[in-house]
């Protein structure tokens, strides 16, 4: 299982705020054509940079991946578009150049890396062949930078309100995986970018770092192919994965119905409030 970092990037809008979802290439073996938050696995150079700067390596990975995949500079320092894209390309080819980027622009990295605030953590179900322990961070894009997909992993980007993103997912025009859908649901009641940032800053680590590891239960079988799968979530009476089990009291239900193939039509079933985990 590999550690990964992802960024829930928000910006001001009128009204309210928008969140960035990027479309992954259909050629990718994992989550091809899905819409996700920018991010990726931690690299050894992230660990080296983190030791140099005295910050969290996962946050370095989160910052770097946003830059690589979207060309967006989370320092919010004004850098000409062509220069930003040139740096994004260089960092994509050689991740360690993230250190050179900060040095070239005389930017102290610590305030910008530490401005990423953890929101939640998802662990891929054990039945999956590719598994990730992913830390999701919130960040605020304070200036109107042009987002540019890298053309390799990322082919498009969409700034959307939470409601629009969820509605488009339901309509099948914005397919996404369960963690992204659940995170969007957790942000639905906020009114502004600043509300989200403040909530993330004040979020207890017992909540933001809680490992949400669902496990699959097939249901509604039709021949050999299931019509849907049930994701049993922490707090459910049947939540008993090999790792990170959090079994609820008898009768407790916390599950997500996921039509096959994954991407739309998710339905959360819970008989008591467990959203504090997310």
């Amino acid at each position: 299982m590999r550690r990964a970092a992802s960024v829930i990037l928000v910006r001001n809008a009128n009204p309210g705020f928008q969140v960035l979802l990027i479309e992954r290439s259909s050629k990718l073996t994992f989550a091809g054509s899905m819409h996700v938050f920018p991010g990726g696995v931690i690299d050894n150079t992230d660990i080296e940079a983190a030791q140099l700067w005295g910050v969290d390596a996962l946050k370095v990975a989160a910052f770097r991946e946003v830059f690589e995949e979207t060309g967006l500079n989370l320092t919010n320092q004004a850098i000409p578009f062509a220069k930003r894209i040139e740096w994004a390309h260089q960092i994509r080819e050689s991740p360690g150049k993230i250190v050179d980027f900060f040095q070239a622009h005389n930017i102290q990295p610590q305030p910008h890396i530490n401005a990423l605030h953890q929101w939640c953590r998802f662990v891929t179900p054990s039945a999956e062949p590719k598994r990730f322990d992913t830390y999701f961070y919130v960040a605020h894009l304070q200036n109107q930078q042009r987002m540019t997909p890298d053309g390799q992993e990322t082919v498009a980007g969409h700034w959307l309100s939470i409601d629009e993103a969820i509605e488009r997912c339901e309509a099948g025009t914005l397919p996404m995986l369960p963690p992204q859908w659940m995170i969007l649901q957790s942000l639905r009641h906020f009114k502004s970018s600043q509300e989200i940032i403040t909530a993330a800053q004040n979020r207890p680590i017992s909540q933001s770092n809680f490992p949400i590891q669902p496990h699959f239960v097939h249901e509604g079988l039709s021949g050999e192919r299931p019509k849907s799968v049930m994701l049993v979530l922490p707090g459910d009476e049947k939540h008993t994965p090999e790792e990170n089990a959090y079994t609820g009291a008898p009768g407790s239900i916390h599950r997500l119905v996921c039509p096959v193939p994954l991407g739309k039509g998710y339905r959360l079933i819970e008989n008591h409030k467990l959203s504090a985990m997310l």
Side-chain angles (χ1 to χ4, degrees):
M1 181 158 49
R2 305 175 73 184
R3 289 196 305 161
S6 187
V7 179
I8 306 159
L9 192 56
V10 295
R11 71 177 185 184
N12 295 334
N14 189 15
F17 67 95
Q18 294 175 318
V19 63
L20 178 64
L21 287 160
I22 59 173
E23 182 180 348
R24 286 172 58 82
S25 169
S26 60
K27 298 177 182 178
L28 296 173
T29 57
F30 177 77
S33 299
M34 290 291 177
H35 292 79
V36 300
F37 305 116
V41 296
I42 192 170
D43 187 87
N44 286 336
T45 58
D46 298 322
I47 298 171
E48 293 167 4
Q51 292 172 342
L52 176 66
W53 297 333
V55 296
D56 188 331
L58 281 161
K59 290 186 177 183
V60 176
F63 183 102
R64 174 184 56 76
E65 286 284 347
V66 169
F67 206 167
E68 285 184 25
E69 293 184 339
T70 69
L72 296 174
N73 162 32
L74 295 186
T75 70
N76 290 301
Q77 178 167 315
I79 297 172
F81 173 74
K83 276 290 182 185
R84 273 198 296 113
I85 301 309
E86 180 183 334
W87 273 107
H89 176 75
Q90 289 186 38
I91 294 168
R92 186 162 58 250
E93 295 299 315
S94 180
K97 285 188 175 293
I98 191 70
V99 175
D100 298 336
F101 166 77
F102 279 98
Q103 291 176 342
H105 294 89
N106 197 27
I107 302 172
Q108 287 295 319
Q110 292 86 347
H112 306 289
I113 300 297
N114 290 329
L116 294 162
H117 303 288
Q118 190 174 341
W119 187 251
C120 62
R121 176 184 172 195
F122 273 87
V123 179
T124 311
S126 58
E128 290 293 318
K130 284 189 175 182
R131 301 189 64 207
F132 303 94
D133 185 354
T134 305
Y135 294 68
F136 289 86
Y137 298 92
V138 171
H140 183 203
L141 190 70
Q142 297 176 15
N143 53 18
Q144 295 296 318
Q145 298 178 43
R146 177 178 159 194
M147 180 270 174
T148 303
D150 63 24
Q152 298 177 21
E153 292 185 22
T154 306
V155 296
H158 308 279
W159 285 102
L160 302 167
S161 70
I162 299 292
D163 286 343
E164 185 179 4
I166 292 172
E167 288 167 7
R168 288 181 60 177
C169 176
E170 182 63 30
T173 60
L174 199 82
M176 63 184 72
L177 294 173
Q180 282 72 26
W181 185 88
M182 292 178 66
I183 289 169
L184 289 176
Q185 293 288 350
S186 77
L187 300 175
R188 207 165 190 174
H189 66 283
F190 291 106
K191 304 299 183 186
S192 69
S193 299
Q194 190 53 54
E195 277 190 21
I196 295 174
I197 299 301
T198 300
Q201 289 172 329
N202 296 327
R203 206 166 174 83
I205 193 168
S206 59
Q207 183 178 9
S208 64
N209 204 45
F210 183 90
I212 302 172
Q213 181 179 332
H215 68 96
F216 288 111
V217 176
H218 292 279
E219 66 164 21
L221 294 178
S222 176
E224 296 183 355
R225 183 175 179 80
K227 295 178 181 177
S228 64
V229 293
M230 183 83 76
L231 282 182
V232 179
L233 300 165
D236 189 280
E237 63 176 356
K238 294 183 178 179
H239 188 260
T240 55
E242 295 176 4
E243 315 144 335
N244 303 313
Y246 189 84
T247 308
S252 299
I253 297 174
H254 191 208
R255 304 170 191 177
L256 187 70
V257 179
C258 307
V260 176
L262 296 178
K264 66 174 183 177
Y266 300 117
R267 182 165 55 93
L268 185 64
I269 304 173
E270 56 184 350
N271 63 3
H272 62 296
K273 199 64 179 174
L274 287 164
S275 58
M277 296 176 187
L278 182 59

